[in-house]
Amino acid sequence: MTPPPRPFSRRTLLQGAAAGIASSAVFTDERTRSRGGRNTRYVSVFGSDSAPGTEAAPWRSLARIQDALRRGDLRRGDAVLLRRGDTFFGTLHEPSIKGTSGVLTVGAYGTGPRPKVAGYKVSKPAWVQHATGVWKLDITARSGQYSGNTGAPSTNVGFLKVAGLIRGWKRTSLDALANQWDFYSDETFVYVRSSFDPGDGVAIAVQQDGIRPASHSILDGIHIEGHGAHGIATGGSENIRIRNCRLEDLGGSRLSSDGTRYGNGIEVWIGGSNIIMEDNTIRECYDVAFTMQGTAMKDAKSWTDIHFRNNRVENCNQTFEMWSAGDASPGSGHIRCTFTDNVCTDAGYSWAATIRPDTDGKGTHILTYDTELPVDVEVTRNQFIGARDSYINISGDRKAPTGLNLHHNIIKLGPGKKTDYQTAETIEQAAHWQSRTGKERGSTFGVLTTGRCEGRS
């Protein structure tokens, strides 16, 4: 059925339609200019960083792009294109983009699969036996014992990928290495429990974000994988569009000394505005596919016009998360934010589902913690299919945010799975939960034959 027109909150109406018109203009005229802008550079693994960056003589590395941005050789209105089928090891952390109009486009050229921005340090046959059944590899920057992301300074390992399989049992000490592929890392080495020399080709994801787009930029058609932190972190930037990207195999690095680990698909930190994420696929994240989070500060106290639409989420521990902290001053909180027309399957079945220390209730599609700032977030026309624990988990203070507007979604869970993790109603009792809470008006609930999306194991 076609849902009725969106019911705007009083807050949204007061803030007016003019801001929405202004934000959409950023990605019409300016997007067109960037594609045919005054300066387009090309990057290929077969190129050279001393080349001019033309299609016939492309640059070679992500570092060359960052250098060009820092120098102002790439500016707003320009484009840099990565060759399809190539894998670029490292990260792309865009500095502030110089110029006064237009957007910078980071996209793809040629034919074949999306170009990859991969974070892996890939082992050479240089492992040394540290003790019986334990091998170590020096993963400091440019140690010479690995290929791939050779310049990354981090040795905080999020996970290993061996013969195509993620091995995520990160232990807190050498003594805790008990099973094949358990690992531990310190300031120099990664240590692996193995009955044989791990040899070459072990992909090692370390703590770093894949891409940090600056304000006034577009990411279009990029494949991001193998980073131990976030796939994309927008910080408090503005005027960003992320579209047609694929993000997978992310997270797991240690966040704090207590052993807490983390890693999201796309993180939008407080202070961000006019950010649109559409037509992306995000899968296999340690934590959540999409998150809006942060603590209000003097010059960063809101998320304004943040939109997640037409994306596909598969096998992440959570699909969509929000938390906020700080004083609720005027203009703070979530303002005109939407999560619409997304297809989200199998929350809580990621590579990290059974190895994270905080498993209870974390296999959920929508997760909120304490939300101290105002909320104006609409969630509608989505499909939420399959979850390990529940459809929604109002964690923290267990108070559903007043401005979280859930309606006209399709929710299907396995038998006995909870509608809301903090309450008693199961998916079979969803109608009672709807009536009691007033949430999900016009939404459709169903029961799967198993806990996961139909047609999957």
Side-chain angles (χ1 to χ4, degrees):
M1 65 179 288
T2 301
R6 173 184 172 183
F8 289 97
S9 69
R10 181 175 182 273
R11 186 181 189 203
T12 300
L13 288 170
L14 289 174
Q15 285 158 339
I21 295 171
S23 70
S24 64
V26 172
F27 293 117
T28 53
D29 296 341
E30 293 191 359
R31 182 180 69 185
T32 303
R33 287 180 55 197
S34 68
R35 297 294 294 180
R38 60 182 179 273
N39 182 19
T40 299
R41 300 295 179 181
Y42 299 82
V43 190
S44 167
V45 296
F46 301 104
S48 168
D49 284 346
S50 61
T54 62
E55 187 169 4
W59 293 339
R60 180 180 178 85
S61 70
L62 301 175
R64 183 67 179 88
I65 299 173
Q66 291 189 186
D67 182 64
L69 287 167
R70 190 163 42 246
R71 293 171 177 267
D73 296 334
L74 282 171
R75 303 170 64 86
R76 292 176 62 177
D78 295 342
V80 58
L81 307 179
L82 309 182
R83 185 175 179 270
R84 291 183 175 273
D86 287 359
T87 297
F88 300 89
F89 287 99
T91 63
L92 181 57
H93 294 179
E94 299 174 3
S96 297
I97 304 171
K98 294 179 174 60
T100 58
S101 65
V103 294
L104 173 80
T105 296
V106 177
Y109 77 101
T111 58
R114 297 177 183 89
K116 287 184 181 180
V117 173
Y120 295 120
K121 299 183 176 186
V122 183
S123 69
K124 295 180 179 180
W127 296 87
V128 175
Q129 190 166 21
H130 176 75
T132 301
V134 177
W135 302 80
K136 67 180 182 181
L137 186 77
D138 185 341
I139 56 171
T140 55
R142 300 179 180 85
S143 70
Q145 297 190 6
Y146 61 90
S147 60
N149 190 7
T150 57
S154 177
T155 60
N156 181 355
V157 177
F159 64 87
L160 310 176
K161 194 168 186 180
V162 186
L165 296 177
I166 292 181
R167 307 293 185 173
W169 275 110
K170 182 183 181 78
R171 302 300 188 178
T172 57
S173 69
L174 272 169
D175 293 339
L177 298 179
N179 305 306
Q180 181 75 21
W181 300 119
D182 284 4
F183 66 90
Y184 164 76
S185 60
D186 59 21
E187 294 179 354
T188 303
F189 298 101
V190 59
Y191 302 84
V192 175
R193 167 67 67 177
S194 178
S195 59
F196 53 86
D197 183 341
D200 59 356
V202 176
I204 304 163
V206 297
Q207 184 183 35
Q208 62 180 17
D209 301 327
I211 297 181
R212 295 180 188 169
S215 295
H216 314 296
S217 65
I218 292 174
L219 296 178
D220 190 350
I222 307 298
H223 186 164
I224 301 166
E225 68 171 13
H227 301 272
H230 309 309
I232 298 173
T234 67
S237 298
E238 62 180 4
N239 299 336
I240 297 172
R241 177 170 282 183
I242 301 165
R243 65 186 183 209
N244 190 32
C245 292
R246 183 179 181 89
L247 297 85
E248 61 185 337
D249 301 349
L250 299 165
S253 294
R254 185 182 66 255
L255 180 63
S256 58
S257 58
D258 66 1
T260 299
R261 299 167 70 183
Y262 76 116
N264 305 313
I266 301 179
E267 180 186 78
V268 181
W269 196 253
I270 193 167
S273 65
N274 191 25
I275 300 175
I276 301 172
M277 291 145 282
E278 59 184 351
D279 301 317
N280 304 290
T281 296
I282 302 182
R283 58 189 311 276
E284 296 292 351
C285 296
Y286 181 88
D287 274 324
V288 63
F290 298 107
T291 181
M292 292 188 287
Q293 56 181 265
T295 301
M297 303 179 71
K298 181 179 180 180
D299 55 354
K301 59 182 182 179
S302 68
W303 299 261
T304 306
D305 293 308
I306 311 298
H307 304 290
F308 311 83
R309 64 195 188 202
N310 297 307
N311 301 287
R312 184 169 185 88
V313 176
E314 304 170 354
N315 296 72
C316 295
N317 267 300
Q318 303 97 39
T319 296
F320 180 50
E321 174 197 44
M322 296 185 303
W323 68 259
S324 64
D327 295 330
S329 60
S332 66
H334 298 86
I335 301 171
R336 294 188 304 272
C337 298
T338 62
F339 189 89
T340 57
D341 300 301
N342 303 287
V343 177
C344 314
T345 62
D346 294 338
Y349 292 104
S350 85
W351 64 267
T354 61
I355 65 172
R356 53 187 298 146
D358 55 340
T359 57
D360 292 348
K362 293 302 175 67
T364 190
H365 282 291
I366 297 178
L367 178 66
T368 71
Y369 289 96
D370 303 341
T371 49
E372 297 179 0
L373 305 179
V375 172
D376 178 12
V377 179
E378 183 182 27
V379 179
T380 189
R381 300 192 307 272
N382 304 286
Q383 297 182 49
F384 298 103
I385 314 297
R388 191 188 72 229
D389 294 316
S390 63
Y391 162 52
I392 189 170
N393 185 352
I394 308 298
S395 191
D397 61 11
R398 300 188 180 185
K399 297 178 181 178
T402 302
L404 178 58
N405 186 9
L406 307 161
H407 66 97
H408 293 92
N409 297 294
I410 297 173
I411 300 110
K412 295 182 179 181
L413 305 179
K417 301 295 183 179
K418 286 192 172 184
T419 305
D420 179 343
Y421 188 74
Q422 304 295 341
T423 64
E425 292 102 338
T426 64
I427 187 65
E428 292 87 350
Q429 301 162 326
H432 180 267
W433 177 83
Q434 276 180 297
S435 176
R436 182 177 62 80
T437 64
K439 300 290 186 184
E440 294 295 351
R441 67 190 183 284
S443 294
T444 302
F445 289 83
V447 182
L448 302 174
T449 55
T450 66
R452 302 191 68 174
C453 184
E454 292 175 329
R456 302 183 65 128
S457 58

